[in-house]
Amino acid sequence: MTSRIVRSIIIGLALILIAGAAFMPAGRVQATTREVTFSKDVAPIFFNNCTECHRPGEIAPMSLLSYKEARPWARSIREKVLNREMPPWHADPSHGEFANDRSLTKKEIDAIAAWVDTGAKEGNPVDLPTAPSYAEGWSIGKPDLVLTMPQEVTVEAKGPDEYQYFAVPTRFTEDRYIQAVEVRPGNRKVVHHLVVFVQPPPPKVAQPKASDADSKPGSTATDTTLYLDGRVERTKPDAPVYDDGCSLPNGGGGFRRDVSKPEPLPGILAEYLPGKRGEVLEPGSAKRIPAGSTLVFQVHYAKSTGAVQKDRSSIGLIFTGSQPRKVIDTKLIFNGYFSIPPGAASHRTTACWTLSSDAEIVSLTPHMHVRGKAMEIRAIYPDGRSEVLLNVPAYKFSWQTIYYLKRPLPIPKGTRIAVTTLFDNSPGNKYNPDPTRAVRWGEPTYDEMLAAFIDYSVKSH
């Protein structure tokens, strides 16, 4: 064989190898120069980003605290990480910076994929970092005080959704300030969501009786928007429709035909939503519970398990050691008048809130039901400027997140916070219970909600 033929064969083989590399299947990670192992490379990623949920007794289906627990799930983990389904983080990175951003970097994603592609090896246990420690049952750490519903509730196997209310006295003899708070459902199989309201003691001087126009929904003959369906409130099919809540004087909140009069809402302390963790406020900030207050648990039970269930939910509180500089309040921005047409794949609705004083926004939490598709929260300033505070282009009902701003955002008086949502009521939405009917606001899961929880402080203390 001549040297020319040998050279030709060598060159041909090199070209084949180069072509093979160029057409490597998508998602395949190129070989690394060193061995990638669980102990040295993957465990630190899991401990920092995943084990808050992926540990015994928590909402994730498996634990990732050890190699033995993680190894059987290796290929599934690789797929979810490459598709950016896990860890769950749905904010558009183009808008806002968030202190609790749990999305993985490209380097971290490549490390997990390389670990799986090279055999998902354990490595040297000496390289394993110390696993994080958690207070059992709580993401905020061990609470100073746990308050629990007064009795266990039996939830039937089948039937319509229910809203039930439970009064839990605090017996606080002085105002208490809360540094961290977590609502803990007793049974996630049936607790769709749970909101805890603060009900201060009644004033010593009797207040004038509220007029019909200022009463709660459904409590007077003048309220023609809502009706009680068993133990849930729903919007009447023939109620007025305002998809653009921002065009109304009350921004979409309230439920009466007289939309010029907004409805006062009770104070929200905390809420549990699917996938939502506890709230830990920055140092110097706290939520306030006045002396003598009662906590009211509003529990939404969804009967979808096919078996009788029991629930007794709780709230955990961690107190501040001193008077906070900022007291955090929660505003619920919502539209109760929208109607989503049958089959609509991308129906637009809005709700607004105009600030009556200077404030600082610290967090934002979107909330919709199973037809929720996307939500944008925008600040429109008095000088005409606007800024997107949060954009969630692919909303996930099963993972509802509090988005904590990396730095509190000062908002001047007169700023309008506009919430814009898209709903998917089409047959293409696999979670849609019935794409053939128009959908209105309602408390049950099979109706819809347009809501954004905004945590903010009005002034420093």
Side-chain angles (χ1 to χ4, degrees), residues 271-398:
E271 64 278 344
Y272 162 78
L273 302 166
K276 185 175 181 288
R277 317 302 294 149
E279 301 177 53
V280 180
L281 302 176
E282 64 174 355
S285 297
K287 294 189 173 184
R288 174 176 170 265
I289 302 178
S293 292
T294 296
L295 301 186
V296 178
F297 286 43
Q298 179 203 69
V299 191
H300 176 180
Y301 290 114
K303 304 170 188 176
S304 58
T305 64
V308 174
Q309 301 286 338
K310 302 288 187 180
D311 173 63
R312 193 176 183 188
S313 297
S314 303
I315 187 169
L317 308 174
I318 295 178
F319 302 117
T320 59
S322 59
Q323 181 84 1
R325 298 191 308 273
K326 300 176 184 177
V327 175
I328 305 300
D329 290 316
T330 300
K331 172 65 180 180
L332 176 59
I333 306 174
F334 73 106
N335 183 345
Y337 298 105
F338 63 84
S339 180
I340 310 170
S346 197
H347 185 69
R348 183 179 183 273
T349 61
T350 69
C352 280
W353 170 49
T354 300
L355 278 75
S356 58
S357 59
D358 294 344
E360 284 187 343
I361 292 179
V362 297
S363 72
L364 311 104
T365 306
H367 176 64
M368 297 179 282
H369 288 173
V370 295
R371 298 173 187 82
K373 181 177 181 178
M375 179 180 287
E376 178 196 82
I377 303 176
R378 177 184 293 270
I380 304 169
Y381 297 107
D383 62 5
R385 293 181 302 112
S386 71
E387 176 184 10
V388 175
L389 306 184
L390 173 68
N391 181 37
V392 178
Y395 174 82
K396 303 293 183 184
F397 172 73
S398 57

Side-chain angles (χ1 to χ4, degrees), residues 47 67 90 105 115 139 290 319 322 341 370 392 398 409 424 438 440:
F47 291 173
Y67 175 76
H90 306 110
T105 65
W115 172 62
S139 66
F319 302 117
S322 59
V370 295
V392 178
S398 57
L409 179 66
D424 183 357
R440 309 273 338 232

